[in-house]
Amino acid sequence: MNNRILIALAPLLLNVACATTGPAVTGGAEPGTDFVIDMQPILRFAPTPQSVSVGDTVEFRNVSAFVHTVSTRPENPEEAAVTALPAGAESFDSGDIPAGGIYQHTFTVPGTYKYFCDPHHGAGMVGTIIVTAG
Ligand SMILES: [Cu+2]
């Protein structure tokens, strides 16, 4: 799969003293990143919705002090309401992303994706990505 998790521990360790504002993910996006979506301290993904093209890689960056996830779980009735995947697209789930960590996903099937943060979707932390062909 194209999913990969890159845990950046350095920003986490460097920002323990300013946890009230959350550590900033420092530096630029990883090579090959086409779009960046932040996981914000106010429990929101931004920007959302985000339009991308087939083959684009999105880097989700946890710029907050909380653990977040980037999840799709159509098989779970409770979470199906905050999940949408185009026909033929496989679900994806980052697992826990610590403060300062990132998660990347490459979108290979066009259509509309709705994803959520596992601990915070009840607070409205949901997002939409629209993938257009070519
Ligand atoms: Cu969250």
Side-chain angles (χ1 to χ4, degrees):
M1 294 304 299
N2 292 316
N3 296 348
R4 59 189 175 121
I5 297 174
L6 301 174
I7 306 298
L9 287 177
L12 174 64
L13 297 173
L14 291 172
N15 285 283
V16 167
C18 38
T20 52
T21 56
V25 180
T26 56
E30 292 295 310
T33 297
D34 296 293
F35 292 93
V36 171
I37 295 176
D38 284 344
M39 292 169 270
Q40 301 179 319
I42 58 170
L43 309 183
R44 290 292 182 273
F45 292 103
T48 186
Q50 174 69 61
S51 293
V52 309
S53 297
V54 165
D56 281 347
T57 296
V58 175
E59 180 172 300
F60 297 88
R61 313 180 84 188
N62 188 350
V63 297
S64 80
F66 312 112
V67 169
H68 297 291
T69 77
V70 179
S71 303
T72 57
R73 273 184 223 131
E75 71 281 6
N76 183 334
E78 182 183 337
E79 292 161 335
V82 285
T83 295
L85 295 166
E90 294 189 32
S91 62
F92 53 91
D93 194 332
S94 65
D96 288 349
I97 305 169
I102 69 168
Y103 168 72
Q104 289 186 309
H105 184 79
T106 300
F107 292 86
T108 59
V109 177
T112 298
Y113 295 72
K114 292 186 177 180
Y115 60 94
F116 61 91
C117 171
D118 196 356
H120 303 127
H121 64 81
M125 192 167 180
V126 298
T128 300
I129 292 177
I130 300 153
V131 180
T132 56

